[in-house]
Amino acid sequence: MKIDVIVKPGSKQPGLAEENGALVLRVRERPIGGAANDACVRALAAAYGVAPSAVTLVSGRRSRHKRFSLSGRR
């Protein structure tokens, strides 16, 4: 399954929500050294009930618009 999200790093209140028809993922971590990307993987894994190893960043490594792939969904 592919998921497109808009990431908002450095947010005071992390969470996953739909805003204006887009999936928005807020994480506390800043985009330094890939910390925000790692936080996105953990947050999506928790939200969809899969292991973090089942979430893969497909595109958007340096962008706020990212595409993730989920496998092994329970």
Side-chain angles (χ1 to χ4, degrees), residues 24-70:
V24 177
L25 178 59
R26 289 180 170 79
V27 294
R28 288 187 192 275
E29 289 79 355
R30 300 306 245 148
I32 299 171
N37 288 337
D38 293 341
C40 290
V41 167
R42 290 190 306 273
L44 288 173
Y48 286 94
V50 297
S53 61
V55 180
T56 306
L57 179 60
V58 176
S59 65
R61 185 165 303 280
R62 297 181 56 102
S63 172
R64 289 182 186 227
H65 296 267
K66 299 182 186 297
R67 176 171 284 173
F68 290 91
S69 173
L70 272 69

